[in-house]
Amino acid sequence: MSKLTAEQRHNERMKRTKAIVDKRIAEAQQQQGVFILLTGNGKGKSSSAFGMVARSLGHGQKIGVVQFIKGRMETGEQNFFEQQPQVDFHVMGDGFTWETQDYKKDKASAQVAWMVAKKMLQDESYDLIIMDEMTYMFKYDYLDLDEIIETIKERPKMQNIIITGRGAKKQLKQAADTVSVIMDEKHAFKAGIKAQKGIEW
Ligand code: ATP
Ligand code: MG
């Protein structure tokens, strides 16, 4: 038998890969929305979530965004997505930044933001809901994790949701359908390079 050329071997391998992928696609038949959790210390959690907002918008879907940290400066994502009629964008009012040290006030702000998110989670007109930086709300006990997981489980069946933030608790990971832990291998900031407009915010 003649030896296969590199090209033939490649084609054979691709054929086997295609068979495996086709089988997996055929097997995934459940029609339901997903709960995605983007956590870890590496860069790319919020920007990935907003990438999916753009993707969803491209299909004419309706999106809700609730940011659980109010930064000091306006962000590109807020400036842009707030202008889209299909996006409801909420930033947590005068609340939690690394600079506030007022537990009661921060907790109250977190509760208000959660009420906004909860309303979306009970409204099937929203196709996608982003709860950006929500993991910190559990770390500092501003919000009750059990209540949030319960509400997520009871949301409209086709609704997709994304939670971002470092240090996600085990219980949240267990509740999610997709969990990506973004690793920090290297970050420009640590080499002393200033945060960049359009990249960091
Ligand atoms: P991004 O919004 O860029 O996707 P992120 O959501 O993954 O980042 P956060 O933990 O929310 O990251 O951090 C917010 C800010 O800190 C962003 O400006 C981000 O670029 C920056 N940042 C993220 N990861 C690191 C890191 N490992 N070291 C230093 N700064 C970081
Ligand atoms: Mg983030």
Side-chain angles (χ1 to χ4, degrees), residues 38-50 67 69 73 77 98 132-133 136 164-166 182-190 195-196 198-201:
L38 304 172
T39 190
N41 293 332
K43 173 177 165 58
K45 299 174 289 294
S46 298
S47 40
S48 165
F50 285 106
Q67 289 194 303
I69 287 189
M73 42 193 162
E77 60 265 30
W98 306 115
D132 193 32
E133 318 299 349
Y136 304 103
T164 81
R166 298 178 189 206
I182 300 180
M183 197 185 76
D184 175 30
E185 185 160 317
K186 213 175 173 186
H187 195 288
F189 187 68
K190 287 184 187 132
Q196 310 283 320
I199 298 292
E200 258 86 36
W201 79 90

Side-chain angles (χ1 to χ4, degrees), residues 5 56 93 99 115-116 118 123 137 154 173-174 190:
T5 64
S56 171
E99 283 156 23
M115 286 304 125
V116 173
K118 190 172 180 178
D123 179 348
M137 303 300 104
E154 284 168 7
K173 287 184 176 173
Q174 280 165 350
K190 287 184 187 132

Side-chain angles (χ1 to χ4, degrees), residues 114-171:
W114 165 237
M115 286 304 125
V116 173
K118 190 172 180 178
K119 232 175 140 189
M120 293 171 173
L121 287 161
Q122 293 170 337
D123 179 348
E124 65 177 3
S125 72
Y126 288 94
D127 300 291
L128 172 65
I129 298 165
I130 312 294
M131 292 179 274
D132 193 32
E133 318 299 349
M134 194 189 215
T135 56
Y136 304 103
M137 303 300 104
F138 310 122
K139 183 175 171 194
Y140 300 117
D141 275 330
Y142 291 153
L143 295 178
D144 178 30
L145 184 54
D146 289 334
E147 187 202 338
I148 279 138
I149 290 178
E150 207 40 50
T151 310
I152 288 172
K153 282 191 178 143
E154 284 168 7
R155 76 192 190 278
K157 190 166 180 262
M158 295 310 295
Q159 195 173 69
N160 292 312
I161 68 158
I162 305 174
I163 289 181
T164 81
R166 298 178 189 206
K169 296 204 169 178
K170 200 168 140 195
Q171 219 185 324

